[in-house]
Amino acid sequence: MSELHEECGVVAVYHLPQATASPLCPTQGASEVARLVPRMLLDLQNRGQLSAGMTSYNPQRQPLLRTYKDVGSVAEVFHQSHADLYRRQMDELAGSAAIGHVRYATSGREDSSYAHPFERTHIKKNKWFSFAFNGQLANYDYLKTQLLEADHNSCFARESDAEVVYHLLCAAVKNSERNLVKVCQSLTRPLDGAYSLVFLNALGEMFVARDPHGIKPLCYAFDGSLFAAASETVALFNLGFTPEQIVDVPAGAMVIVTPERGVELRKFAESPRTAHCFFEWIYFANVASVLDGKSVYLARKRLGEELARRETVPLDEDSIVVPVPDTSKAAADGMAYALKLPCLEGLIRNRYSGRTFIEGGQSRQNKAKTKYTPLPQVLEGKRVFLVEDSIVRSTTMRVLIKRIREVGHAKEVHVRVACPPIVAPCFYGIDMSTYKELFAVKFHDKYFPMKNACCNDDLTTNWNMTHEIEMEMEQDLGCDTLRYLPTSALSRAIGLPPLSLCQACVNHDYPTEWGCKMSDRAREMFLNGVEGRTYE
């Protein structure tokens, strides 16, 4: 799973101007709660390490809105290892309201101009705003073309879906008559995909919104004075809000915060069905978070127990369970406990080796070698059950199996995957948009050709994990055995009905119209041997 790119994360804070100071305020007081944003973003660092930024609002300051953002981790961007620089920066950004963002790019380059939030200045306060966006638009190309055709004098400065949102938001603000519900409705009506938004204008008005399918997570808390929102509950809990105060934003809903009306939960779009991304529980989210009422840690633990129930390899005193650090730990613990086996850290992750997913080919393999160190003292002579979240492209898994054998001197390596095979691309924010790059596809397509399939045909009905497919996968990876979980295990482990989850990458069931269109296009490219991504 280190081969998967993380998603983005958003946060927001707002202290009502006439309210009693919240006990959760920083020591500088209610007028400077913007200082809370960097610590909230640190709790979401797992969602993106490419860039970070924030916009604050201060009615006593010129400019009313001030934005700071740059490439790097939260600690790097906000100079948290340099006390004087950090203090000076926080003094400049102090305010009674703020929004923040950590970014990993599913589109767009790695430079500061792509970092969020995006601020738009204007002489009118209601049209002077900043916003941050977590997600991906499946109809990005279509919307971009529509915007360019509507005005032939226009052009795009960046290749990112956030810029499409920016232009649509400018138009929505212009035509909304200062009604934030209308702003959100006008903005989101043409959008197809997964997103959560945070918005702040120079009037001191804020809203946070979640897409009509609830694909991306978003939650908020309010103690009567201080409002805060974040992609994950851990950021709110660590601020000091109680679990009872933290609430998920419903799909198709927005929370509006204004000086005059306080905090309001409003519906801006109908929600035909929820489709929460199951990968949030499997991998993306902080293990301490609770998403849509379901614990990330407990979901991963139950996935491990599902693996244990399906184990058929004989166990003995030389058998051990080893997680691939770090997000597989809970699943490995659950499996080991159920099988009464020791769960040992036979692989140590070097947290300072960088991200393996940035480079491809041989460079990515070399990165994987430096990222994990096998421990011969733990692995030598052992029957190793190696637990991983998922196998997407298989580059990292191949390296790990080889090094566990050659460096760790393990007797056997049995790979156990706490997820079904990834058999379809994602167009909602996970960086895997082609069939060709997916490890499982070439084996399944050999036995169950998908040339006659179309969107929402459940490929898993035919794409069963036969013994022949398993043997070919094992030989290709270099492990003794390989076992995946079935799709039915996901909803059981998470605790939500299957139709409440987006499982398109494992069952081909895309919850939106443009997700289906992009899937059909990707499949056509795969069948015709066309290289490249489905959309750039």
Side-chain angles (χ1 to χ4, degrees):
M1 288 295 287
S2 59
E3 299 172 347
L4 278 189
H5 298 170
E6 280 99 337
E7 305 180 351
C8 300
V10 294
V11 302
V13 291
Y14 195 118
H15 198 287
L16 296 181
Q18 306 304 323
T20 303
S22 168
L24 307 183
C25 288
T27 56
Q28 292 83 359
S31 63
E32 300 194 20
V33 295
R35 294 175 181 271
L36 300 174
V37 167
R39 63 179 289 188
M40 296 174 71
L41 292 178
L42 276 174
D43 285 324
L44 301 184
Q45 190 74 89
N46 56 291
R47 304 188 68 82
Q49 300 140 40
L50 184 57
S51 67
M54 64 178 284
T55 297
S56 65
Y57 165 75
N58 188 335
Q60 309 303 320
R61 177 191 67 200
Q62 289 297 333
L64 295 169
L65 295 182
R66 177 170 283 160
T67 299
Y68 178 78
K69 56 185 180 179
D70 205 350
V71 172
S73 67
V74 174
E76 292 167 337
V77 169
F78 293 104
H79 309 293
Q80 290 182 314
S81 61
H82 303 280
D84 289 341
L85 288 176
Y86 177 70
R87 189 180 306 111
R88 191 156 51 241
Q89 195 174 62
M90 288 298 100
D91 288 343
E92 292 178 356
L93 290 166
S96 58
I99 59 174
H101 187 270
V102 288
R103 175 177 179 259
Y104 169 74
T106 50
S107 63
R109 296 192 299 272
E110 298 179 24
D111 64 60
S112 58
S113 70
Y114 283 82
H116 297 221
F118 287 98
E119 182 181 343
R120 186 254 194 141
T121 58
H122 200 281
I123 192 170
K124 293 185 177 181
K125 292 181 181 179
N126 68 302
K127 295 181 181 180
W128 180 3
F129 66 82
S130 183
F131 83 98
F133 173 82
N134 166 31
Q136 188 169 348
L137 303 180
N139 62 341
Y140 162 73
D141 281 337
Y142 171 78
L143 291 175
K144 180 180 176 181
T145 301
Q146 292 289 102
L147 287 168
L148 292 174
E149 289 180 349
D151 185 352
H152 294 289
N153 292 320
S154 61
C155 67
F156 278 74
R158 305 169 189 84
E159 290 291 329
S160 75
D161 40 17
E163 187 164 9
V164 167
V165 175
Y166 174 86
H167 290 295
L168 292 174
L169 190 49
C170 288
V173 168
K174 177 181 178 181
N175 301 319
S176 66
E177 301 174 351
R178 290 191 56 189
N179 184 316
L180 292 183
V181 176
K182 288 184 178 179
V183 168
C184 196
Q185 289 173 334
S186 178
L187 165 66
T188 59
R189 193 173 294 118
L191 303 184
D192 183 298
Y195 54 87
S196 56
L197 288 160
V198 291
F199 170 95
L200 178 64
N201 68 20
L203 288 168
E205 298 172 336
M206 172 185 286
F207 74 75
V208 303
R210 190 178 187 188
D211 74 73
H213 291 87
I215 299 175
K216 300 297 181 189
L218 186 63
C219 57
Y220 71 97
F222 182 51
D223 66 1
S225 300
L226 179 67
F227 168 86
S231 293
E232 296 185 34
T233 59
V234 65
L236 304 180
F237 184 76
N238 286 344
L239 274 187
F241 289 102
T242 66
E244 294 74 25
Q245 290 174 318
I246 302 172
V247 182
D248 293 292
V249 177
M254 61 190 296
V255 183
I256 302 171
V257 190
T258 60
E260 300 81 15
R261 300 176 63 90
V263 178
E264 303 174 276
L265 178 65
R266 301 287 297 274
K267 195 80 172 172
F268 70 85
E270 292 302 316
S271 181
R273 57 164 282 203
T274 59
H276 310 311
C277 174
F278 82 89
F279 258 125
E280 292 287 350
W281 286 273
I282 300 292
Y283 173 69
F284 286 126
N286 188 310
V287 71
S289 286
V290 177
L291 308 180
D292 293 291
K294 304 301 178 183
S295 164
V296 174
Y297 172 80
L298 291 180
R300 293 177 187 174
K301 172 179 171 290
R302 286 192 286 261
L303 288 168
E305 293 166 351
E306 292 271 358
L307 286 171
R309 280 194 285 272
R310 290 167 171 76
E311 192 52 66
T312 58
V313 172
L315 308 178
D316 58 23
E317 60 183 10
D318 289 330
S319 300
I320 62 172
V321 176
V322 174
V324 177
D326 289 311
T327 53
S328 301
K329 184 68 166 63
D333 285 342
M335 177 181 175
Y337 186 82
L339 293 176
K340 296 181 173 57
L341 293 178
C343 184
L344 304 178
E345 293 190 56
L347 290 170
I348 302 300
R349 182 183 174 213
N350 179 358
R351 303 180 193 283
Y352 308 102
S353 65
R355 298 182 293 273
T356 61
F357 48 67
I358 293 177
E359 299 93 353
Q362 188 64 37
S363 180
R364 180 180 293 184
Q365 293 179 23
N366 291 336
K367 274 285 192 178
K369 289 180 181 178
T370 62
K371 190 170 185 177
Y372 300 103
T373 301
L375 299 184
Q377 300 87 345
V378 174
L379 301 170
E380 187 168 3
K382 299 296 185 182
R383 174 179 288 121
V384 176
F385 291 88
L386 184 65
V387 177
E388 175 62 300
D389 304 287
S390 178
I391 299 176
V392 182
R393 300 175 182 89
S394 79
T395 309
T396 300
M397 180 54 69
R398 294 174 194 276
V399 172
L400 291 181
I401 294 170
K402 185 176 181 181
R403 285 177 61 77
I404 287 171
R405 289 193 191 279
E406 295 180 356
V407 179
H409 306 297
K411 178 172 60 177
E412 299 173 8
V413 182
H414 303 272
V415 176
R416 299 296 178 259
V417 188
C419 177
I422 307 300
V423 296
C426 177
F427 308 105
Y428 303 124
I430 304 176
D431 189 38
M432 48 184 195
S433 65
T434 68
Y435 281 96
K436 184 177 181 179
E437 67 189 293
L438 304 178
F439 169 73
V441 166
K442 62 181 178 182
F443 299 98
H444 285 78
D445 186 58
K446 176 180 177 180
Y447 290 93
F448 307 106
M450 61 178 175
K451 60 184 178 181
N452 297 320
C454 63
C455 180
N456 289 337
D457 285 347
D458 187 349
L459 297 184
T460 59
T461 301
N462 296 318
W463 288 26
N464 297 313
M465 280 295 293
T466 65
H467 182 61
E468 290 78 11
I469 293 176
E470 283 183 347
M471 289 183 63
E472 289 190 22
M473 285 182 168
E474 292 161 2
Q475 185 175 5
D476 189 79
L477 289 174
C479 59
D480 292 279
T481 64
L482 170 68
R483 299 290 183 271
Y484 287 94
L485 285 178
T487 54
S488 59
L490 294 177
S491 59
R492 283 197 302 271
I494 294 169
L496 290 172
L499 287 179
S500 294
L501 299 170
C502 178
Q503 302 176 88
C505 60
V506 298
N507 70 3
H508 210 243
D509 181 12
Y510 293 87
T512 73
E513 177 186 359
W514 274 92
C516 288
K517 289 182 179 180
M518 297 305 295
S519 172
D520 288 340
R521 187 183 304 178
R523 186 175 57 258
E524 183 178 352
M525 291 174 64
F526 174 74
L527 293 174
N528 292 330
V530 177
E531 296 289 337
R533 301 168 65 82
T534 310
Y535 63 131
E536 300 298 334

